[in-house]
Amino acid sequence: RQRLFMVKAVVSTQSTGHITNNLRCEPSNGNCMLIPGLRNLLAKVPPARFKIGSCISKTFLSENMSPPIVIQPQGTHKASVIFLHGLGDTCHGWAQVMGEELNIKHVKYICPTASTIPVTINMGMRMPAWYDITSLSEFDKEDKAGIMRSVAHVHALIAEEEKAVPSDKIFVGGFSQGGAVALYSGLTYKNKLGGIIGLSCYLPLNSEFPDVADSQNSETPIILCHGKADVVVDTRFGQMSHQKIKAFHSAVEMKLYDHMGHTSCPRELMDVKQFLGNVLGQSP
């Protein structure tokens, strides 16, 4: 049973594929998450710029939600990126990516961790997830209540950042399940955002669009990235989402990567960094 658990968990927790060798499973409580080397991150990011939970009041955290990891900006705070991890992961893996690969001067990075909930597709085992998933192919059975709870959480994070920087200097993004939440959150936010980033993901509750999309973000730049060898979130779902968004949103682009599965790669991270730099009008 434990061996089966580990196989199923690996399938659904390829959230940051370059560190999947650090998978830690805890059969005692059903949790499965990626534990990357925070020591490496701390060695490269000055301690003054690295904080845990400093960006948001505990008012916005559910009972079993850990505080976010925050990478403070180099110099004056001029923009913020909120980035959501994938199913079964935590904020730590992508915080490391933000601090090392996507670091841009004057940009603050916020990486929250989802609540730990039972996930149907993983035999009901408990793990960090933004919403429940019953199938990776039948999108008529989506967990709308869970999706909307996570969207409300992301909107609260954005609103908190608006106290420090204009909304059009705030980006929301994510990988896999986190990217799905980021797409819905960004397209429905009431104020204009700087940009939306979706990696290896799809647009959830897509039949609700364009009706639920807010006009304030009708021209907000969106970048979608997907591996051509993705067998977890099939590439065609990413392409279908791109076409769906493109039908009502003119500023969306999609980039595909040969031989890349449900993970990330240096070329993709370079493209995301370039996207941020272009929108902010500064060299990455």
Side-chain angles (χ1 to χ4, degrees), residues 198-266:
L199 309 184
S200 303
C201 66
Y202 59 92
L203 179 65
L205 305 174
N206 66 81
S207 63
E208 297 184 357
F209 290 89
D211 293 347
V212 297
D214 196 289
S215 60
Q216 287 294 314
N217 284 293
S218 61
E219 298 181 356
T220 296
I222 301 174
I223 184 170
L224 302 175
C225 302
H226 219 113
K228 291 183 179 180
D230 194 335
V231 296
V232 178
V233 177
D234 197 294
T235 310
R236 64 191 176 95
F237 295 139
Q239 293 173 313
M240 289 164 60
S241 296
H242 174 233
Q243 291 302 317
K244 175 72 176 185
I245 297 171
K246 191 176 180 180
F248 65 89
H249 191 104
S250 61
V252 58
E253 63 175 314
M254 184 167 199
K255 293 184 177 292
L256 298 175
Y257 304 89
D258 293 331
H259 314 300
M260 189 178 89
H262 196 61
T263 182
S264 186
C265 69

Side-chain angles (χ1 to χ4, degrees), residues 61-184:
L61 301 177
S62 66
E63 285 186 10
N64 59 349
M65 183 178 286
S66 302
I69 283 183
V70 180
I71 306 293
Q72 296 292 350
Q74 301 177 54
T76 305
H77 180 197
K78 296 182 179 179
S80 296
V81 174
I82 299 167
F83 197 90
L84 282 61
H85 62 76
L87 175 66
D89 201 353
T90 68
C91 62
H92 299 86
W94 282 100
Q96 185 172 354
V97 173
M98 299 295 135
E100 295 178 2
E101 307 294 338
L102 298 182
N103 211 335
I104 298 176
K105 193 174 183 180
H106 306 300
V107 178
K108 173 183 177 182
Y109 297 91
I110 302 108
C111 298
T113 291
S115 298
T116 299
I117 63 172
V119 177
T120 302
I121 199 172
N122 277 348
M123 302 175 290
M125 294 178 182
R126 295 177 61 83
M127 60 186 63
W130 299 106
Y131 52 88
D132 188 24
I133 294 180
T134 58
S135 170
L136 288 174
S137 60
E138 299 177 37
F139 293 107
D140 58 333
K141 298 179 180 179
E142 292 180 279
D143 175 19
K144 181 173 181 177
I147 292 170
M148 297 313 296
R149 277 194 298 271
S150 290
V151 167
H153 178 64
V154 173
H155 284 178
L157 286 168
I158 297 171
E160 186 76 5
E161 287 306 297
E162 285 185 273
K163 297 176 182 178
V165 293
S167 66
D168 63 0
K169 298 299 181 184
I170 299 173
F171 297 76
V172 61
F175 176 86
S176 193
Q177 191 189 52
V181 172
L183 284 178
Y184 195 105

